[in-house]
Amino acid sequence: MADLNRRTFLTVGGVGLAALLAGAPGVAAAAVRPAAGTGSAGTGSAAPVPASGGTPPGPYTFGWAADDLLAFDPGTTPWARHLRCLIPRAPRIAPFAATQAHPDLDPAVQLSTLTIDDAGSIYEGHNQAIGLEAQVYTQRYWSYIDIWGTWHGQVKGSAPIEMVDGQRAPGRPYGVIDIPNPGWTEAAHKNGARSIGGWFWPRPVDFDAFLVQAGDGSFPVADKMIEIRAYFGFDGLFINQEGSVSAAQIKKFQDFLRYLKRRDPDFYLQGYDSADFDSGEVSYENRLSENNLRWLGTPDAPIYDSLFMNYWWQATTGGADRDLSKSAASAVAAGRDPRVVGFAGVEHQKGGFRPEEDFGSVAGPGRPAPTSVALFVDSQIWLNGSWDGATSTVEGRATYRDLEQRFWSGPTGNPGTSGRLEPRTPPYRTDTLNYRQWDGIAHWITERSPYGTLPIATDFNVGVGSAFFLEGTKVRDRGWDNMGCADRALTWQFWTEGDVVVSLDESTSYGSGHSLALRGGGVIHLFKTDLTADKAIAVEIRAQGVSAIDLGVTWQDAPSEIDWQPLTKTDPAGWDGWTGGVNARGRRVARISLRTSGDGRIGRVSLREAGKPLKPATPTGFQVADAGDAGDGKRHLTFGWDLQSDAVGYDVLQIGASGTSWLGRVHRDVFFAEAVDLAGGRQFQLVAFGGDLHRSAPVKAVLTV
């Protein structure tokens, strides 16, 4: 971060990706910029311009200064109930080398990210958690992420987001602290990753206001930070302390953080290598050292949990620790595990597939990395595409999903064959879409998995779409986004064997906004697991077009072979049902795969213990209320209901003479529906669903005003 003007990080702009894409290997330049008049959902509207909107309607997150923190009250903070993550962080299964895409890759190497999680949205100063935008970025490679962090400044909650001709009005008051988008926290927790917000200094507010200490030794702002973390359900903060303060202030700041960690030991803090421990001046050591490791505190009085090393550890000239051996040695000498406390920064915001830093020079199969790795703005490629208008079309999104796959899974798009296809050549931060010189994250980081228990079920929901389907029927024909409603991620995207080619398909779906398109036949590895079952495992798959499907079970006690079990085709009604069962017989299932023949699509994969489906009870307490005029005869609406222990989520539907329309899906007890056309009906339904995606009977509410 230190080599970039820090003001550029308050907001993010595009760099004209059309020219870059035109020379990128394997990328269709025709998909770069949509024709005039094409829109995100095929409505004929102009391509949305990122950050061109003001304050979004309904729930949004915002920046917090000390006064905002001290004033926090869940009962009076706008939309607070709508911004909570109620999903605990899922446990991940133990590493098992035999079912890794690279069995000789070291699972101790961790990955943290700082992501512009609203990349492509028209809203940026206030972050909209659930919206109507098909073009925004969502994350589907959670299996490689240990610590996910949000990266964008947000305007204080009381301040309007003024836009003049699509430009940000000057002097907007940004907060120091951003909480993560709650949908991203939900997705992170489903997959076992941490979700952390951001502390960004400097800001034009009083630093000492955060450090006020009461007579009893407490820090009121720290107490409120702990309260806010618990209420909104995230895991901690990335501390970007990158503006000089006095020696007295930095000492007080350390006391503040020690107090916070003493009161809430689970409050995860990752600090940037940017502040001198003694003087408070901005200082980059570009490695782990005896000096900056003091920011970790002591076992009895911890401060940071880990350090994000500045990028110059491997600068072209004068790199401080080009092979990270000095960092590792310093951590070990301090009694620390360097792969727990040290994350070497890799800058993708300007570097794309060709950053100056090459973590692959010190990491890979058979080469345990000395430290862990941190990605800065892994979402920038998508954001650039949004600025160029490419992600406003289905075809453009397919292009960028392909680039995303190559970023995470390697240049072939297959994590089993990750690794660069040609040597890296300087100058770097040029030719930034040349993925042939990029290893892929799967070449450095082993896949992690939350799949330790049944049920396992996915409709390939990635938290965004231009339509929505329920049981194969289209129930929405316009864009939507909500990272929080995404299904748990596939472990590999896409680890295949044979001739099959797999891609994410936005054209149709069984139970979300996407399906998996298959071309050719072969093996698709889906889930890394550690499963046992007292009963047989019931298998249900929904597919189109394929001529045969076998379920592949890799047993932990025989990992070199796949036990193939043919499925039976049933219920041919648009989406064929394929069913079968697995008798685990007390053995542990280490991986689930499919073997298919013929071109087609997979719409659902569900595995549960045989017997009664996990169908929740009918929800109770369902209510609807008017929340304001949305223009063009539309109304904003709010919904509420009672949470129930047998449900993992809820769908809100509008019922009218023309049919059923899906408004949204959440995992909490409230929902805001933006711009509902009441010509489609004033009757609404709530349906709960269980962990195997079986659905409850609906409950009805009617809007009477």
Side-chain angles (χ1 to χ4, degrees):
M1 299 175 208
D3 56 338
L4 301 175
N5 184 327
R6 292 302 300 164
R7 301 283 65 76
T8 66
F9 290 99
L10 299 180
T11 53
V12 181
V15 297
L17 200 61
L20 298 175
L21 270 178
V27 178
V32 174
R33 188 181 296 277
T38 57
S40 63
T43 61
S45 59
V49 178
S52 63
T55 298
Y60 58 83
T61 60
F62 46 84
W64 303 67
D67 57 334
D68 304 298
L69 294 164
L70 292 171
F72 171 70
D73 180 342
T76 58
T77 297
W79 303 109
R81 286 178 62 198
H82 294 257
L83 301 174
R84 303 185 72 189
C85 170
L86 304 179
I87 299 173
R89 186 159 58 96
R92 286 173 162 176
I93 65 175
F96 184 57
T99 54
Q100 293 174 187
H102 295 288
D104 51 351
L105 197 59
D106 188 350
V109 182
Q110 297 184 71
L111 175 71
S112 70
T113 70
L114 290 175
T115 302
I116 297 172
D117 47 307
D118 57 358
S121 173
I122 65 169
Y123 304 113
E124 49 84 45
H126 286 156
N127 187 247
Q128 186 183 52
I130 300 175
L132 308 179
E133 301 183 275
Q135 78 283 355
V136 300
Y137 177 73
T138 59
Q139 174 59 262
R140 58 189 176 113
Y141 293 88
W142 290 103
S143 57
Y144 300 104
I145 299 173
D146 296 287
I147 304 157
W148 175 82
T150 184
W151 183 256
H152 49 70
Q154 293 194 69
V155 176
K156 283 165 58 77
S158 58
I161 307 297
E162 297 181 6
M163 306 296 292
V164 180
D165 295 328
Q167 300 298 313
R168 305 168 185 87
R172 301 192 308 186
Y174 283 83
V176 173
I177 290 175
D178 296 332
I179 68 170
N181 179 315
W184 283 69
T185 301
E186 289 174 316
H189 283 187
K190 289 178 187 180
N191 290 281
R194 284 188 171 93
S195 169
I196 60 176
W199 164 292
F200 189 102
W201 185 263
R203 295 290 193 202
V205 297
D206 181 11
F207 188 75
D208 289 325
F210 288 87
L211 307 181
V212 171
Q213 191 169 16
D216 61 1
S218 65
F219 288 86
V221 169
D223 288 333
K224 277 296 185 179
M225 287 169 58
I226 293 167
E227 180 184 350
I228 286 169
R229 184 185 89 80
Y231 181 81
F232 291 113
F234 62 99
D235 300 297
L237 291 175
F238 177 79
I239 306 291
N240 195 89
Q241 181 69 18
E242 203 170 2
S244 293
V245 297
S246 70
Q249 286 174 318
I250 204 68
K251 182 180 183 302
K252 197 73 167 179
F253 185 51
Q254 293 157 9
D255 291 341
F256 171 95
L257 295 175
R258 289 188 187 97
Y259 171 83
L260 182 149
K261 290 289 289 184
R262 183 169 67 252
R263 286 229 33 234
D264 186 359
D266 292 330
F267 200 124
Y268 189 90
L269 296 175
Q270 183 176 86
Y272 181 39
D273 167 34
S274 58
D276 184 80
F277 189 83
D278 296 311
S279 71
E281 296 288 328
V282 173
S283 174
Y284 309 99
E285 298 205 42
N286 312 310
R287 50 162 289 202
L288 298 180
S289 72
E290 181 181 0
N291 182 43
N292 64 18
L293 282 165
R294 290 186 291 164
W295 274 106
L296 300 176
T298 65
D300 294 334
I303 306 176
Y304 292 158
D305 293 279
S306 62
L307 290 169
F308 183 123
M309 288 178 269
N310 188 45
Y311 315 109
W312 294 341
W313 61 274
Q314 205 181 51
T316 303
T317 58
D321 190 12
R322 294 188 61 81
D323 64 359
L324 294 172
S325 60
K326 294 177 183 177
S327 295
S330 294
V332 170
R336 305 283 188 169
D337 184 337
R339 292 180 292 186
V340 171
V341 303
F343 290 79
V346 179
E347 209 280 33
H348 295 287
Q349 187 167 55
K350 287 191 173 182
F353 285 98
R354 284 175 30 82
E356 184 171 352
E357 308 78 27
D358 182 14
F359 193 73
S361 67
V362 299
R367 288 185 302 144
T371 71
S372 291
V373 63
L375 310 181
F376 183 65
V377 192
D378 52 291
S379 55
Q380 186 67 37
I381 292 171
W382 186 278
L383 180 59
N384 289 345
S386 300
W387 277 96
D388 280 344
T391 60
S392 67
T393 69
V394 172
E395 297 79 11
R397 287 192 289 275
T399 294
Y400 280 82
R401 288 296 186 195
D402 178 73
L403 286 170
E404 176 193 34
Q405 183 176 335
R406 296 174 193 274
F407 181 88
W408 290 92
S409 299
T412 66
N414 184 338
T417 56
S418 63
R420 64 197 69 174
L421 300 178
E422 61 186 37
R424 280 167 43 93
T425 55
Y428 303 115
R429 299 188 182 181
T430 62
D431 191 19
T432 56
L433 291 184
N434 184 354
Y435 52 72
R436 296 182 64 83
Q437 296 186 17
W438 172 248
D439 286 323
I441 300 302
H443 209 65
W444 307 340
I445 305 296
T446 56
E447 52 275 50
R448 288 79 156 96
S449 170
Y451 295 114
T453 59
L454 293 171
I456 297 173
T458 182
D459 284 336
F460 309 105
N461 186 339
V462 297
V464 68
S466 56
F468 199 89
F469 296 75
L470 285 174
E471 297 180 339
T473 299
K474 182 183 285 191
V475 289
R476 185 186 183 92
D477 59 4
R478 59 176 178 153
W480 61 276
D481 63 286
N482 177 9
M483 182 77 255
C485 78
D487 295 333
R488 289 187 293 178
L490 301 180
T491 305
W492 304 280
Q493 298 183 63
F494 298 103
W495 184 11
T496 61
E497 299 177 22
D499 297 327
V500 65
V501 176
V502 186
S503 60
L504 194 66
D505 186 354
E506 193 176 333
S507 67
T508 190
S509 175
Y510 181 75
S512 68
H514 290 82
S515 57
L516 289 191
L518 312 178
R519 189 172 71 251
V523 176
I524 312 160
H525 300 301
L526 294 180
F527 307 112
K528 185 179 179 73
T529 65
D530 186 1
L531 297 173
T532 58
D534 295 331
K535 303 176 182 178
I537 299 173
V539 180
E540 178 190 355
I541 292 175
R542 292 286 175 165
Q544 289 181 339
V546 296
S547 56
I549 305 178
D550 299 329
L551 184 82
V553 176
T554 301
W555 301 104
Q556 197 174 91
D557 58 13
S560 61
E561 300 177 356
I562 300 178
D563 183 1
W564 291 108
Q565 310 201 18
L567 302 181
T568 302
K569 185 175 179 179
T570 62
D571 189 22
W575 285 89
D576 300 329
W578 294 79
T579 59
V582 178
N583 186 355
R585 303 187 301 276
R587 301 172 74 185
R588 305 191 79 86
V589 179
R591 184 177 58 191
I592 297 294
S593 310
L594 296 180
R595 184 171 61 190
T596 66
S597 300
D599 296 353
R601 297 179 181 88
I602 301 290
R604 169 176 289 181
V605 177
S606 174
L607 299 96
R608 59 178 175 83
E609 283 198 351
K612 188 176 181 180
L614 302 178
K615 181 178 179 179
T618 304
T620 60
F622 184 45
Q623 297 179 327
V624 57
D626 185 274
D629 184 17
D632 297 326
K634 299 176 181 179
R635 306 295 298 181
H636 301 312
L637 304 177
T638 57
F639 299 86
W641 56 88
D642 302 324
L643 287 173
Q644 55 197 89
S645 60
D646 60 350
V648 300
Y650 305 86
D651 284 323
V652 180
L653 306 162
Q654 182 182 23
I655 310 298
S658 60
T660 298
S661 177
W662 180 83
L663 299 180
R665 174 175 291 182
V666 290
H667 302 286
R668 56 185 74 90
D669 57 354
V670 287
F671 176 65
F672 173 86
E674 180 181 343
V676 177
D677 186 352
L678 295 183
R682 289 176 169 264
Q683 179 176 308
F684 301 90
Q685 286 184 349
L686 181 73
V687 177
F689 58 90
D692 61 359
L693 301 178
H694 280 85
R695 301 169 65 77
S696 74
V699 62
K700 181 178 72 173
V702 177
L703 183 68
T704 57
V705 297

